[in-house]
Amino acid sequence: MGYHSAHRGPDMAVRRTLDRMRALDRAWNDRRWHDYAEFLGEDLVAHGNGAAPPLHKRAHIDQAIRFCAAFPDARIHVDSYLELFSSHDGHHSCAMARLTGTASGGLTLPADLLDGPDAAPLKRAFDVPRLAICRWERGWIVDYRVHLDTSLMLHQLRDPAAP
């Protein structure tokens, strides 16, 4: 067995995982929720910033749909990931990308998230780092951890004209 044959397996596993990660993020960007769901295992456990209990597959997809409804132009910048890598066996991946979007005019958040007594309407854009860490089994994500810099996002979204 030559050098290339001996090393083809792990290289192919890494390439396949990274290609699937890009395709997952592109499906999210295009709001192709059926395609997005195809990358998620039926027993998915999805974590977001550690604040809430983990979500199962359907709840995770529903949360993504709600997020995109609140930020209709939200986009994960997949053509210029800040970092994108996989373990040698393709079972784990990490993608850091810019997440940008603009709040629709009617979106409000609870006052405790905005450091004030009133829930101020959000009308501005955001541009924050997004980190996605995945564990893959048989080509599906079974553990999905997404982290956003929510402090920076909220800072950018605050409407300075709001009371």
Side-chain angles (χ1 to χ4, degrees), residues 8-70:
R8 186 172 301 161
D11 291 343
M12 292 302 291
V14 168
R15 180 174 303 280
R16 181 171 187 259
T17 297
L18 296 180
D19 288 347
R20 290 181 65 74
M21 191 74 217
R22 283 185 192 94
L24 170 81
D25 287 344
R26 285 188 178 112
W28 189 94
N29 282 342
D30 296 340
R31 312 309 190 246
R32 290 181 285 117
W33 301 118
H34 180 268
D35 294 346
Y36 182 80
E38 290 295 314
F39 293 98
L40 307 175
E42 291 305 316
D43 294 330
L44 174 76
V45 177
H47 309 265
N49 282 358
L55 302 175
H56 58 81
K57 182 177 179 175
R58 183 73 249 163
H60 169 72
I61 294 167
D62 290 345
Q63 183 182 59
I65 292 168
R66 285 191 308 276
F67 183 90
C68 291

Side-chain angles (χ1 to χ4, degrees), residues 107-148:
L107 179 67
T108 52
L109 293 175
D112 60 326
L113 289 179
L114 295 173
D115 297 326
D118 299 314
L122 304 176
K123 301 174 187 159
R124 295 178 56 188
F126 65 87
D127 184 340
V128 297
R130 174 189 179 270
L131 176 66
I133 303 167
C134 302
R135 184 167 56 87
W136 300 78
E137 288 182 6
R138 295 179 307 282
W140 291 297
I141 297 172
V142 295
D143 189 79
Y144 194 23
R145 297 172 186 270
V146 177
H147 302 277
L148 303 175

